[in-house]
Amino acid sequence: MYRYNLFSKIVGIMVIMLIPITLLYFYSNKTTTDVLRSELNTSNNNQLSFFQNQVETQMELLSSWPILLLHDPDILKLKDTALEQQSLNLAAMQLVKRIQTKISIQESSSNWNSKLFLYSPSVHRMVTENDALPYSDDELRHEVKAGWQVDPVKDQGEERFRFSWFSYTPSMPVFSPGQAATIMKVEFDSRNIEDMLDQFKSDGRRDPFYYKEGTGLIFNRSADRALARRLVRQLEQEQMNGSGNRTLELDRRSYSVNIVYSAKMGWYLIDYMPLSEILQPIHTSNRLFYFSVSALLLMSCLTAYVLYVQVQVPVRQLVGGFQRLKQGDYSVRIGIKGKNEFSFLSGRFNSMVEQMQELIENVLMEKIHVREARLKQLQSQINPHFFYNCFSFITSMAKLDNMKAVVGMSHNLSRYYRYTTRQERELVPLPEEVEFVTHYLEIQKMRMSRLHYTISIPPQMRTLEIPPLMLQPLVENAVLHGIEPEAAAGRLRITGACSGREMLLTVEDDGQGMSPEDIALLENKLGRAMDEEMGCGLWNVHQRLRLRYGGEAGIVFAASPLGGLQATVYWQLPMDNSEKSLREG
């Protein structure tokens, strides 16, 4: 009935309302995250492309210097200079000096730290800003190649790269130092690129670096080189193909990696950022949303609990009170708390139940008085034919002048009669009932000398009180219907037993007994109204026990180990009486 109470319904409604809101937020959050990542990747790619163009422009500018200088008049004049001896003459020295000045001016025109080299086959000198030294044709032949040449160098324990570009006249399919008129080389160090990477990293989140397969990496000066190398190894496993965006997982952290490839340089410009830093505002917003949803759910639960306590609990108490009242429990009362409509209803309920209890108690007392009157009526229905037989025995013994038998019968009969006439008591001690049965058995023994009986009652049962004339009808039934019809029978045994509140008194004989069908029929008759075929003794005992002790009392029959019938009287003591009796026992 209370499976879906008010509290669970309100909480369920709030949860159902929050589910679509949460799902909509998740969808919106996912869309926002995807858009942010897409826009961020686009912005990063644009910035990397712009930076890449700056580097390429600077390198193109440097590669144009040799072409410009090859058409300088002094350099053209130097190729026509012929030396008569190995050392330079004064005119050649002055010409070289002017060329060195122009080389110095050209090197100073760029922000990059670069060097220009002039190789003159005519004077067989390599002219730089400060020197004019001889060179080897074989070495030069191996150095000159098309495009930018990259060579690794060691600088104070750090690996750097030297970029060089050669231009020469005239053009030829295969370079030969002897056939060239003038050869120019421009050279710069990778530290120029490192400076630009440091400037590009000024926002603090970027960590760009250059990478070329088979050559190496160019880092900014504050780069996490170990992390960058791990990223490169993972990118190499996935085969980098041109520019693009990647998301890599390292040490349970996600990184957004942007790649821009320079076809002119042959290098990859790579930049990466942790996604946790990029999405930090979104994560903060998510936490605020989760906190708000949790707080709303908590407030809903508190509201539902208040309604549950103020409404559902009083209603349940009223319903429970009516259920107990329906089951016959008129002692039920509902506790009254506060001053509201439900406290008024609870007060009226308690008043109604109290009045009903008073009425029922009055009716119950009337029923008890009627039952007591019925008990006394049942006790008075003992068959008096036994007394007629006893007086006939006394008359016979007197005629035979057997005064001892007359005296014994008179004594036992007087004690027996005295007990049966004391009907004012509702309960008698069990020893008195046993003594009364003993007098009866002594009377029957005078009539039947073959009768032998034993009585065994535990000491703890001798303090019990039982209804009077409860045991005698069972003994009488055993003597008259069990032992007397059988000439060989004569044993009768009375025993008592107790277990907790359960009390048993058993009467058994070695007479003719009864079949199981007859036993079942007899027990069935005991529960119905008495008819002409049913004797009043056993029926009286059974009904008196049930009236006094309830449905868990009565008489049952079974085959006796002695060979006859076994009749057992059973009942349960009230809790207070059993505890008192057991303590006294």
Side-chain angles (χ1 to χ4, degrees):
M1 181 176 181
Y2 305 110
R3 183 177 180 183
Y4 301 104
N5 53 35
L6 183 63
F7 177 76
S8 60
K9 287 181 180 178
I10 295 178
V11 174
I13 291 173
M14 295 304 302
V15 171
I16 292 174
M17 293 175 60
L18 289 176
I19 286 176
I21 297 175
T22 306
L23 293 177
L24 182 61
Y25 177 79
F26 285 156
Y27 176 76
S28 175
N29 181 62
K30 183 178 183 303
T31 303
T32 303
T33 303
D34 294 340
V35 171
L36 176 62
R37 294 179 64 176
S38 176
E39 292 296 327
L40 187 61
N41 287 329
T42 302
S43 175
N44 288 342
N45 285 337
N46 292 335
Q47 294 183 34
L48 290 177
S49 298
F50 179 75
F51 178 81
Q52 188 76 286
N53 291 332
Q54 287 183 320
V55 175
E56 290 178 350
T57 300
Q58 190 66 32
M59 293 181 68
E60 287 179 356
L61 178 62
L62 293 180
S63 64
S64 66
W65 287 358
I67 299 175
L68 295 175
L69 292 176
L70 285 175
H71 298 85
D72 184 80
D74 290 332
I75 294 177
L76 292 175
K77 185 177 180 180
L78 181 62
K79 74 175 183 177
D80 297 331
T81 301
L83 298 179
E84 297 180 355
Q85 53 186 359
Q86 295 295 329
S87 59
L88 296 176
N89 54 29
L90 180 59
M93 293 177 61
Q94 291 177 348
L95 180 60
V96 169
K97 190 64 177 178
R98 290 197 300 273
I99 292 174
Q100 289 178 336
T101 301
K102 292 180 178 181
I103 289 175
S104 177
I105 293 173
Q106 190 66 45
E107 289 178 352
S108 302
S109 64
S110 174
N111 293 329
W112 280 22
N113 185 12
S114 58
K115 290 184 178 181
L116 283 169
F117 299 86
L118 171 63
Y119 295 88
S120 176
S122 62
V123 296
H124 208 268
R125 292 289 192 278
M126 178 183 68
V127 181
T128 62
E129 181 183 6
N130 299 316
D131 293 319
L133 302 175
Y135 65 89
S136 171
D137 289 342
D138 293 335
E139 294 180 358
L140 185 61
R141 184 180 294 108
H142 289 92
E143 288 183 11
V144 176
K145 294 180 182 177
W148 284 99
Q149 307 300 315
V150 183
D151 299 311
V153 294
K154 291 290 185 179
D155 183 12
Q156 297 179 355
E158 294 186 4
E159 184 179 4
R160 288 192 169 87
F161 298 93
R162 182 174 60 244
F163 291 77
S164 57
W165 178 279
F166 285 89
S167 296
Y168 51 86
T169 58
S171 299
M172 60 189 74
V174 179
F175 174 75
S176 176
Q179 299 177 2
T182 305
I183 305 166
M184 290 289 297
K185 181 178 78 168
V186 61
E187 180 181 286
F188 67 89
D189 192 84
S190 61
R191 282 176 292 188
N192 297 292
I193 299 178
E194 292 177 3
D195 293 336
M196 292 191 69
L197 290 173
D198 289 339
Q199 295 176 3
F200 187 58
K201 192 186 173 180
S202 60
D203 64 351
R205 290 192 306 170
R206 301 182 178 280
D207 206 1
F209 61 92
Y210 273 98
Y211 165 72
K212 183 177 182 180
E213 186 177 0
T215 301
L217 295 94
I218 301 176
F219 302 99
N220 61 78
R221 290 181 174 82
S222 59
D224 187 346
R225 303 194 176 192
L227 178 60
R229 288 189 174 94
R230 293 177 61 188
L231 289 172
V232 167
R233 284 196 295 269
Q234 191 163 345
L235 289 171
E236 287 176 345
Q237 295 175 0
E238 299 180 4
Q239 297 182 353
M240 293 187 297
N241 294 319
S243 303
N245 303 316
R246 307 283 180 85
T247 300
L248 301 181
E249 295 285 339
L250 286 179
D251 299 331
R252 298 183 179 179
R253 294 188 66 184
S254 298
Y255 295 88
S256 177
V257 181
N258 300 100
I259 305 171
V260 175
Y261 178 71
S262 174
K264 297 179 180 179
M265 296 175 56
W267 288 70
Y268 290 95
L269 176 60
I270 302 175
D271 188 19
Y272 66 93
M273 287 185 290
L275 285 177
S276 59
E277 297 181 5
I278 300 173
L279 303 178
Q280 182 64 33
I282 296 179
H283 293 331
T284 303
S285 176
N286 290 344
R287 286 193 291 270
L288 290 175
F289 175 78
Y290 297 147
F291 175 77
S292 301
V293 171
S294 302
L296 181 60
L297 185 60
L298 179 61
M299 293 174 61
S300 302
C301 293
L302 290 177
T303 304
Y305 179 74
V306 171
L307 291 176
Y308 173 76
V309 172
Q310 296 294 327
V311 178
Q312 184 75 13
V313 171
V315 171
R316 290 182 63 177
Q317 289 178 348
L318 283 173
V319 174
F322 280 110
Q323 291 291 339
R324 292 177 60 184
L325 186 62
K326 180 181 178 182
Q327 296 171 1
D329 184 3
Y330 296 97
S331 64
V332 59
R333 298 292 185 273
I334 298 178
I336 301 176
K337 296 181 180 179
K339 294 183 179 180
N340 50 36
E341 294 82 357
F342 291 103
S343 62
F344 175 79
L345 291 176
S346 300
R348 300 285 75 78
F349 175 84
N350 292 339
S351 177
M352 177 189 69
V353 174
E354 186 176 356
Q355 294 177 6
M356 292 176 63
Q357 188 177 16
E358 290 178 358
L359 291 174
I360 291 173
E361 287 178 353
N362 293 333
V363 173
L364 183 60
M365 290 301 297
E366 293 297 329
K367 287 185 177 181
I368 290 174
H369 293 157
V370 172
R371 187 180 68 175
E372 294 298 331
R374 187 178 177 188
L375 281 173
K376 293 186 182 222
Q377 179 187 6
L378 291 172
Q379 291 175 3
S380 66
Q381 291 179 357
I382 302 300
N383 195 341
H385 76 277
F386 169 72
F387 298 103
Y388 303 149
N389 293 335
C390 291
F391 288 132
S392 296
F393 178 82
I394 292 174
T395 302
S396 299
M397 292 297 103
K399 291 179 180 181
L400 295 175
D401 200 19
N402 188 352
M403 300 306 296
K404 184 178 181 181
V406 172
V407 173
M409 176 63 76
S410 300
H411 172 75
N412 288 311
L413 186 60
S414 64
R415 301 293 297 272
Y416 178 88
Y417 185 70
R418 181 187 299 176
Y419 184 82
T420 58
T421 56
R422 295 176 62 185
Q423 300 291 331
E424 71 278 359
R425 294 183 298 173
E426 296 183 0
L427 297 174
V428 296
L430 180 58
E432 291 187 13
E433 181 75 9
V434 172
E435 182 182 4
F436 166 66
V437 170
T438 303
H439 291 307
Y440 172 78
L441 290 173
E442 288 293 331
I443 293 172
Q444 293 293 356
K445 190 173 182 180
M446 290 180 183
R447 296 178 58 245
M448 291 183 295
S449 58
R450 56 189 171 89
L451 177 64
H452 300 280
Y453 64 89
T454 58
I455 301 176
S456 176
I457 303 297
Q460 60 267 32
M461 292 184 66
R462 293 176 182 172
T463 59
L464 295 178
E465 292 186 342
I466 63 173
L469 301 177
M470 185 179 75
L471 191 58
Q472 188 272 341
L474 275 69
V475 175
E476 182 179 0
N477 188 69
V479 172
L480 298 181
H481 301 289
I483 297 176
E484 189 171 354
E486 288 287 333
R491 293 178 60 193
L492 187 140
R493 183 167 61 191
I494 302 173
T495 57
C498 63
S499 177
R501 296 168 53 207
E502 185 76 21
M503 300 294 149
L504 300 174
L505 286 175
T506 303
V507 178
E508 50 187 334
D509 59 77
D510 61 347
Q512 61 181 0
M514 298 177 67
S515 65
E517 292 78 8
D518 293 336
I519 291 176
L521 181 61
L522 177 60
E523 291 180 346
N524 189 24
K525 288 182 178 181
L526 290 177
R528 300 199 305 263
M530 187 175 64
D531 53 17
E532 296 179 355
E533 298 179 357
M534 183 67 185
C536 67
L538 295 178
W539 187 85
N540 259 325
V541 173
H542 186 77
Q543 295 299 322
R544 288 164 62 199
L545 285 170
R546 285 184 170 270
L547 284 172
R548 180 165 296 279
Y549 297 109
E552 297 182 354
I555 305 174
V556 293
F557 299 94
S560 171
L562 299 178
L565 184 66
Q566 173 181 291
T568 301
V569 177
Y570 64 94
W571 73 97
Q572 283 190 357
L573 296 179
M575 185 66 69
D576 53 350
N577 288 342
S578 69
E579 292 177 353
K580 178 180 178 182
S581 302
L582 292 176
R583 285 198 300 269
E584 292 176 355

